[in-house]
């Protein structure tokens, strides 16, 4: 079983819960365990919030867009959020220690790492923009209608 969807969203705070609800709805329909769905939806919310806040600094229009793509493929879900902002700094973002509890900046990336099995933070090759991708092994409800075989 494979499900893939992609959204092209305006950099607006209202787009974050929309993306989250679509992910939760598709995972619930497929029969994914609610705890896994919740973890991925929180990670997605953090990635989308970063795209809304930072993803347009390099683009001329403040209402520039970002893209969310989700793949449920077999036993894994992979999510990618790409924006058109300035991207991550030249040095690797994850080489810095975990942020201090009082720091407001950077906690979303730490949370994405903690809630997923694998996370990658990088820049679009050859053009402006950041790409945040993460994945998690899926668990299924006993009554899952679309469980992987």
């Amino acid at each position: 079983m494979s499900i893939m969807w992609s959204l092209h969203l305006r950099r607006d705070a209202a787009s974050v819960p929309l993306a989250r609800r679509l992910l939760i709805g598709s995972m619930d329909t497929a029969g994914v365990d609610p705890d896994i769905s919740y973890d991925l939806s929180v990670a997605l919310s953090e990635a989308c919030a970063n795209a809304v806040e930072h993803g347009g600094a390099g683009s001329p229009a403040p209402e520039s867009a970002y893209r969310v793509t989700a793949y449920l493929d077999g036993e894994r879900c992979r999510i990618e959020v790409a924006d058109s902002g300035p991207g991550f700094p030249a040095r690797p973002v994850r080489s810095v220690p975990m942020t201090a509890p009082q720091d407001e900046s950077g906690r979303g990336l730490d949370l994405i790492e903690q809630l997923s099995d694998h996370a990658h933070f990088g820049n679009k090759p050859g053009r402006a923009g950041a790409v945040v991708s993460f994945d998690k092994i899926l668990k299924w409800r006993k009554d899952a209608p679309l469980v992987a075989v």
Side-chain angles (χ1 to χ4, degrees), residues 18-52:
L18 171 64
R20 183 177 176 150
R21 282 187 209 114
L22 283 169
L23 178 67
I24 288 174
S26 61
M27 295 182 96
D28 182 52
T29 300
V32 175
D33 178 82
D35 291 336
I36 299 295
S37 296
Y38 179 78
D39 287 352
L40 285 169
S41 72
V42 172
L44 174 62
S45 294
E46 291 296 331
C48 290
N50 282 345
V52 167

Side-chain angles (χ1 to χ4, degrees), residues 65-84:
Y66 67 101
R67 180 172 303 277
V68 176
T69 306
Y71 308 91
L72 278 77
D73 191 20
E75 295 294 319
R76 182 171 298 278
C77 178
R78 179 177 175 80
I79 298 172
E80 182 177 287
V81 177
D83 64 45
S84 56

Side-chain angles (χ1 to χ4, degrees), residues 75-148:
E75 295 294 319
R76 182 171 298 278
C77 178
R78 179 177 175 80
I79 298 172
E80 182 177 287
V81 177
D83 64 45
S84 56
F88 290 104
R91 72 185 173 117
V93 171
R94 304 323 297 161
S95 66
V96 297
M98 291 270 290
T99 56
Q102 69 274 15
D103 289 347
E104 283 296 317
S105 179
R107 289 191 300 182
L109 298 179
D110 291 335
L111 191 54
I112 291 167
E113 284 186 320
Q114 292 170 17
L115 292 171
S116 63
D117 293 328
H118 177 263
H120 176 75
F121 312 107
N123 295 323
K124 290 181 183 175
R127 54 189 169 137
V131 178
V132 172
S133 62
F134 51 95
D135 58 61
K136 191 166 183 86
I137 294 174
L138 299 174
K139 293 179 187 169
W140 302 92
R141 296 188 321 253
K142 290 184 197 264
D143 65 340
L146 299 177
V147 68

